Amino acid sequence: MPQDPMDFEWSYWIEWGRERILLLLAGHLLVSQVSRLLVEKYKPWCLMVYGMAACWLLLGIKGFAVILLHAAISFAVAQFQLSLLTWLCSLILLSTLRIPAVEETKRKWYDTENEYYLLLFTVSVRCLFCTSFSLEYCWHAPAQKSSHSFPWMLAYVFYYPTFHNGPLVNFDEFSKQMRRQEAFSVKTNLSILIVGIIRIFFWWCLAELMIHLMYIHALYSSALPLESASYWALAGLALAQVLFFYVKYLVLYGVPALLLRMDGLKPPALPCCVSLMHSFTKMWRSFDVGLHRFLVRYIYVPMGGSQSSLLGTLLSTALTFAFVSYWHGGQSYLWYWGALNWLGVIVENGTKRILSISLIQDL
């Protein structure tokens, strides 16, 4: 039975996985386990060299140079130790991905659109990693700068399991866990690997069944069936779509999360099932946990967050969703999506505050 071809993200990453990415991830696993067994002290540098080699192999010398240049510029700007300047640098680097002349130049480097998109997605995710490292550099005292050197930035930026699509791990978490030396057990790691592969294979089979049998995205691509459907049918389609999105990210984030665990790191929690969620706030906290931690640590809290005035909280939340919309591409529909999510979170938090008033509780 033919599959629904309209979900670009699933088709794209499955195709790349089958071609080369899964093989490169297996190579990372081998290098990681050998270095943990023989040279635990040098594990970060072994993985850094492997990640740079994998980047060079997939994206070519020019793609590798772009990512290295982004890291070098971010590190140079971080030397001023000004958070605002670091953010300005990050936004400028992110904006270069949307300059038509730059896009056309990068397209000419590759034979296919898929190769160009791989560079685009990778650089977008690397921008977040560079931002995390640079802000941590700005916030740490001079005595701690040795743990925030340029080699550590490269080890973080070129860490291969999270390289192309995430999940996002903040530098402070990555650095602490990567430095920690633990007792290595081949038997324990082998059991983690086998159980992890079985779970991911089950999720992948479920996603493939959904995309071969349900045709959710094909239905959404045509206005005619949507216009003729009842409200109950539309609600069912909407639920089916978000459930597929959930299962899809169990696979896309499950593979790197398994490798993180094999490396002795603690990955961000995998997405919670959307059927268990009833609020915008919980959705943002528990679907993409790595992105949520990034947004809270580097945007929401520095801008005042929930500890500031009502206006400050509104502004902090608005800037957080504005960045999410811009990072995802900045198209008009993304600004609407961000604004509606911001409104949902504000209404929920406002309602909670009202319900916390003793008079309202008595009523």
Side-chain angles (χ1 to χ4, degrees), residues 18-320:
R18 285 171 178 159
E19 283 186 6
R20 279 179 282 181
I21 288 180
L22 275 181
L23 190 61
L24 289 171
L25 288 172
H28 169 94
L29 178 63
L30 180 63
V31 171
S32 167
Q33 299 311 293
V34 170
S35 61
R36 287 189 75 184
L37 189 62
L38 303 177
V39 284
E40 176 77 17
K41 185 179 178 181
Y42 300 103
K43 180 182 73 174
W45 318 122
C46 295
L47 297 182
M48 178 191 76
V49 170
Y50 180 85
M52 294 172 89
C55 172
W56 193 317
L57 180 65
L58 270 189
L59 300 176
I61 180 63
K62 292 178 180 177
F64 171 79
V66 167
I67 294 170
L68 192 60
L69 181 63
H70 275 234
I73 291 171
S74 297
F75 185 78
V77 172
Q79 303 307 302
F80 294 98
Q81 294 187 265
L82 297 171
S83 299
L84 186 60
L85 190 61
T86 290
W87 265 116
L88 184 61
C89 171
S90 298
L91 292 173
I92 289 171
L93 289 174
L94 199 56
S95 70
T96 60
L97 303 179
R98 285 140 207 172
I99 298 173
V102 176
E103 285 183 330
E104 283 305 309
T105 301
K106 289 177 181 175
R107 273 191 167 91
K108 291 175 184 176
W109 296 348
Y110 301 106
D111 297 327
T112 64
E113 280 286 290
N114 274 3
E115 290 175 293
Y116 164 71
Y117 281 127
L118 185 65
L119 174 65
L120 184 66
F121 298 148
T122 304
V123 175
S124 297
V125 176
R126 293 308 94 198
C127 279
L128 296 186
F129 278 68
C130 289
T131 303
S132 175
F133 175 90
S134 299
L135 288 171
E136 294 294 340
Y137 186 96
C138 292
W139 295 346
H140 281 75
Q144 298 171 295
K145 287 293 185 275
S146 61
S147 61
H148 293 73
S149 61
F150 189 60
W152 267 106
M153 184 183 198
L154 294 181
Y156 174 57
V157 169
F158 285 97
Y159 181 68
Y160 196 68
T162 62
F163 191 67
H164 298 294
N165 194 40
L168 188 56
V169 180
N170 292 341
F171 179 73
D172 60 323
E173 300 168 14
F174 175 85
S175 176
K176 286 174 190 172
Q177 294 175 32
M178 190 63 82
R179 289 171 186 278
R180 187 178 61 220
Q181 295 188 13
E182 298 176 330
F184 178 72
S185 169
V186 175
K187 186 178 179 181
T188 302
N189 262 23
L190 188 61
S191 65
I192 291 171
L193 180 64
I194 292 171
V195 172
I197 288 174
I198 292 170
R199 291 176 70 193
I200 292 166
F201 181 72
F202 171 75
W203 296 330
W204 175 78
C205 289
L206 183 57
E208 284 291 316
L209 276 174
M210 293 174 80
I211 211 164
H212 277 83
L213 299 177
M214 297 177 73
Y215 295 90
I216 314 155
H217 303 89
L219 286 169
Y220 270 113
S221 66
S222 175
L224 189 61
L226 298 180
E227 288 172 354
S228 59
S230 68
Y231 289 131
W232 281 104
L234 289 174
L237 282 171
L239 179 60
Q241 188 181 42
V242 294
L243 284 171
F244 176 76
F245 191 77
Y246 159 65
V247 174
K248 172 170 67 175
Y249 268 87
L250 285 179
V251 177
L252 297 183
Y253 279 179
V255 174
L258 175 59
L259 291 174
L260 279 158
R261 291 185 67 197
M262 296 292 292
D263 291 347
L265 309 180
K266 184 180 179 182
L270 291 177
C272 280
C273 180
V274 291
S275 294
L276 302 177
M277 297 179 194
H278 60 272
S279 74
F280 281 95
T281 308
K282 186 178 179 182
M283 181 73 179
W284 278 99
R285 284 178 179 167
S286 54
F287 193 85
D288 192 335
V289 176
L291 180 60
H292 174 259
R293 288 175 181 169
F294 176 93
L295 297 172
V296 169
R297 182 168 176 81
Y298 302 120
I299 303 177
Y300 186 69
V301 171
M303 289 304 299
S306 58
Q307 303 303 313
S308 61
S309 63
L310 177 60
L311 187 61
T313 303
L314 292 173
L315 179 62
S316 302
T317 313
L319 285 174
T320 301

